[in-house]
Amino acid sequence: MINSPVHLIATLRVKQDYVLSDKNGKMVPEKIGLKAIQRDGVDYEFTLVFDLNIKHLASCNKDRTGLFINSPEFIIDQSTGVKIKQWCLSGEEDNITKIQSADNLKTLGELYKSYKSDENMGFFIERKAALVNKFSNPKSLENGH
């Protein structure tokens, strides 16, 4: 998803999570909220992650855009989409594409000097790790990866 040339919106499934509590000597299931049922760390792939509660209020638990990270709970509406679209069109995505396309550490370092920001840091770290792995793994070089 990170390398996709288009913007993606995805929803992820959750299920009710329970714990067993002792009530009057009996073990009784008690709802404790929602639990994700996808692989661990899947939110790493996203630029923005909102969690919706049972009252349809969104809270932002990951935000590389800086638009929502410290916002109180809110209802997602058309204005939310407008903010996200404006960010996407602001050029930040072009920077991310350049970071993800860097084919060596020198180029990535030059981009880092130009585009260093909290919003881009995760992309720099990820690309650097991929490049280090690529150039330190002889099998990946043999296979052209």
Side-chain angles (χ1 to χ4, degrees), residues 48 50 57-61 63 65-75 80 83:
L48 275 168
F50 294 115
L57 294 173
S59 58
C60 184
N61 69 23
D63 184 0
T65 69
L67 296 172
F68 304 98
I69 195 64
N70 293 319
S71 298
E73 291 182 333
F74 63 98
I75 293 178
T80 310
K83 286 180 188 177

Side-chain angles (χ1 to χ4, degrees), residues 12-113:
L12 302 174
R13 295 184 321 151
V14 294
K15 66 178 182 178
Q16 192 64 242
D17 198 17
Y18 298 88
V19 294
L20 292 176
S21 300
D22 185 9
K23 300 239 175 157
N24 300 325
K26 288 176 100 178
M27 297 304 282
V28 180
E30 183 180 332
K31 291 181 183 181
I32 60 168
L34 299 175
K35 177 181 177 182
I37 53 173
Q38 59 272 344
R39 70 174 171 79
D40 287 341
V42 73
D43 59 340
Y44 179 77
E45 309 287 338
F46 294 99
T47 300
L48 275 168
V49 176
F50 294 115
D51 289 329
L52 296 176
N53 66 23
I54 198 157
K55 295 178 183 177
H56 306 286
L57 294 173
S59 58
C60 184
N61 69 23
K62 178 183 180 182
D63 184 0
R64 289 185 182 154
T65 69
L67 296 172
F68 304 98
I69 195 64
N70 293 319
S71 298
E73 291 182 333
F74 63 98
I75 293 178
I76 293 177
D77 60 14
Q78 186 175 357
S79 68
T80 310
V82 169
K83 286 180 188 177
I84 294 169
K85 181 179 179 182
Q86 287 172 343
W87 179 85
C88 289
L89 298 175
S90 71
E92 191 73 24
E93 275 299 296
D94 293 333
N95 298 345
I96 293 167
T97 302
K98 290 176 186 175
I99 293 165
Q100 292 170 338
S101 300
D103 59 355
N104 60 60
L105 292 175
K106 181 180 179 191
T107 302
L108 187 64
E110 291 167 359
L111 291 170
Y112 180 77
K113 290 175 188 172

